[in-house]
Amino acid sequence: MNPPSSPPGAPPPPAPPGRKGPPRALLVGAGVAVLAGVFAAAFFLGRGSAPSPSSPVNPGAPPSSGDASSGTGILQALPPAPDKPRKMDVPSEAVRPAFWVDVYTPGEVREALTGNAWLQEQLRKPLGQGFVGGWAAMLGTRSEELGLGFKGAVFDLLAGQLLSAPFRVVWFSGDTRTGTPAILVPEPGNTVMAAFDGMAGAVRRDVLTADTCPGGQGEVPGKGFTLTRWLVAEQSLWAARTDDRMVFGRTPAVVLQGLCEPHLDLEPPEEVDLELGFSPEALGREAQLLTHVMGVSQGIRLQFAAEGNRLVGRGIAGPVADDPRLDSAPLSDELLKLIPEETPVLLTLQLKLPELLDAASLKAFWSGGSADMAVRTRQVALVWTPRGDADLPSEVALLWGRPEDAVALDTLFSGPNRMERETLCGHHVLASSPAVLERLRKACGGEVPNLLHAAPPVVAGLREKGSVSFGVRTGSLLGGLMVDGYLSQLSSGEGAKPPARKVPAEIEAARKDLETLPYIGLRGTVDGNRLVPGGFGS
């Protein structure tokens, strides 16, 4: 389900009024955020087979937080259930899905992740334990302590029953509901509904009712909505269900928004187990503009499959404009030589543009007036190093495969943000800082490894014919974000950052473990009015 967007031939949409826009390069950012979310989900799902000698029935569950036979279990620790429901303060404005993860085959995805030796090893180390954090006690709580009619832990109920049917994890736009996803389970079936009711009856500790949707947008059943707060081991989760769906979330606002979403049909594409999607309109002007330039204004989807004990990239899919603005070609060796091997995020395009790159020609081209216009394909790449600290400067560079366009590009990119410019390896480079430009210069000159030195399957995948490619070096990405995030928490004096960027041994060890993660490559090739997916990686 992609929210409606502008027609493919329409000019770039105006900026939404009165709204705080998200960071730049959101198309790439959304993809990376979701890939990080998949990695996070891997930790969560992988918890199901982490060893725990204290849990013989389910060796995968975290340590239990109480013993029912001792009389001091979870049931005795819970506060009393409320006498009557409270009326929910329904948000006055509806929000839209910004990006989402569709899990079509939860069983296969979970088996791939729980069987992954690397994940299981990390869950026994500070990296995995820190990620699970306070959720370990909740997931490891025994069903006997909650008075449920099955043997096992809360994890077994969540992953084995409540999330056994296809489901969607969705992040919404809007200032009050961003950052906290909702889990939507459409058409869960009677058995799953019965498990939901049993869990709710045992751990329900607050009840809210609502008789409208946020902003009045959405269908409401005759009896309205009932949202319950589940409390286990001091961790709370809001949950609700109707006759045809279940929704979970950390806040009642996202759960209610999930209940009010249109009907969701999770029909899996062939050989795809997990899919990531996004809405350009909900992500802001930058994402809208980029997808419009690409001719994929309806959004694209990143596809994955479970193979053995890992998730592998299947490619990029989605509709394209009737008059495609993407060409198909392999990436040149000059481009691969220019990009440092350690680059965390890479987006490449084979972009059709007017021969003359002036404002009038581009406006006519993007407005559909290009029938008699001379067009040339440009190889374009965006390299990005995301930072885990908002105070750190952006590290991004645009690599343009036709140096003859340098003057036109300097005019187009003449905004207030200073860009470093140079021609390297047959490409005109616009970099966000001298340090970024220097890394590219060293890669081009052979002073540091470039993408030609990457793993052979990665190089082969990048050389395949394609229209759009998205590559993530997950080890560099997640390791860098983790170190930045740790350092951002350190302060000295009145909030000043310490001058030396040193991390303790356990953080450095975790970074090195993350560095062993593979390269994930996704490719889409224009064929008529669609992108044909293809995947590669290390």
Side-chain angles (χ1 to χ4, degrees), residues 137-409:
M138 176 184 181
L139 297 175
T141 298
R142 308 298 301 174
S143 63
E144 298 89 338
E145 299 172 354
L146 302 174
L148 298 175
F150 79 98
K151 290 186 177 181
V154 168
F155 174 86
D156 300 301
L157 178 67
L158 292 175
Q161 295 190 42
L162 298 183
L163 298 181
S164 60
F167 64 90
R168 167 174 288 186
V169 184
V170 56
W171 286 258
F172 294 103
S173 62
D175 292 339
T176 60
R177 274 156 281 182
T178 51
T180 302
I183 301 176
L184 281 63
V185 187
E187 303 177 2
N190 293 333
T191 302
V192 176
M193 290 288 200
F196 179 97
D197 292 340
M199 183 72 173
V203 300
R204 181 182 63 220
R205 286 302 174 269
D206 198 2
V207 180
L208 295 176
T209 61
D211 52 16
T212 62
C213 287
Q217 300 181 22
E219 295 184 9
V220 182
K223 58 184 178 181
F225 297 116
T226 299
L227 291 73
T228 60
R229 183 170 70 97
W230 297 0
L231 182 64
V232 179
E234 300 183 357
Q235 293 291 332
S236 64
L237 183 71
W238 285 89
R241 78 170 182 88
T242 61
D243 292 338
D244 62 353
R245 74 172 57 184
M246 300 185 310
V247 183
F248 305 91
R250 290 301 304 270
T251 69
V254 297
V255 171
L256 181 61
Q257 188 67 57
L259 291 169
C260 294
E261 284 297 294
H263 175 72
L264 183 61
D265 184 14
L266 293 182
E267 191 67 29
E270 186 177 357
E271 296 185 352
V272 173
D273 297 307
L274 184 148
E275 193 171 56
L276 319 179
F278 70 94
S279 168
E281 288 188 350
L283 289 174
R285 179 171 173 77
E286 290 82 9
Q288 294 180 66
L289 181 60
L290 182 54
T291 54
H292 180 84
V293 168
M294 294 168 59
V296 292
S297 298
Q298 300 293 330
I300 56 178
R301 304 183 305 278
L302 311 183
Q303 299 180 335
F304 298 83
E307 287 188 359
N309 59 5
R310 64 188 188 129
L311 289 176
V312 298
R314 279 285 184 255
I316 302 173
V320 299
D322 292 335
D323 184 14
R325 298 173 189 165
L326 292 173
D327 205 346
S328 298
L331 299 181
S332 68
D333 279 4
E334 289 79 8
L335 177 63
L336 300 182
K337 182 181 179 182
L338 176 57
I339 301 172
E341 184 188 7
E342 64 181 11
T343 298
V345 181
L346 170 66
L347 175 68
T348 68
L349 305 170
Q350 301 292 343
L351 199 58
K352 292 182 180 179
L353 290 171
E355 179 76 30
L356 182 62
L357 291 184
D358 57 24
S361 299
L362 289 172
K363 182 178 180 180
F365 181 78
W366 287 329
S367 299
S370 59
D372 300 326
M373 187 178 295
V375 175
R376 178 187 291 270
T377 298
R378 272 83 167 182
Q379 177 178 253
V380 182
L382 183 73
V383 296
W384 183 33
T385 300
R387 305 309 302 264
D389 184 349
D391 293 334
L392 294 175
S394 299
E395 295 192 4
V396 63
L398 180 70
L399 317 180
W400 197 268
R402 190 167 186 265
E404 294 85 350
D405 295 331
V407 175
L409 290 175

Side-chain angles (χ1 to χ4, degrees), residues 320-321 324-328 466-468 524-532:
V320 299
R325 298 173 189 165
L326 292 173
D327 205 346
S328 298
S467 304
V468 53
T525 306
V526 170
D527 181 12
N529 61 355
R530 68 189 182 110
L531 286 172
V532 176

Side-chain angles (χ1 to χ4, degrees), residues 8-58:
R19 177 183 174 277
K20 292 182 179 179
R24 303 274 176 187
L26 255 171
L27 177 61
V28 183
V32 174
V34 179
L35 288 173
V38 172
F39 179 79
F43 275 122
F44 175 80
L45 295 174
R47 192 70 189 182
S49 61
S52 176
S54 63
S55 303
V57 175
N58 176 15

Side-chain angles (χ1 to χ4, degrees), residues 57-75:
V57 175
N58 176 15
S64 172
S65 55
D67 183 354
S69 63
S70 68
T72 60
I74 289 292
L75 289 178

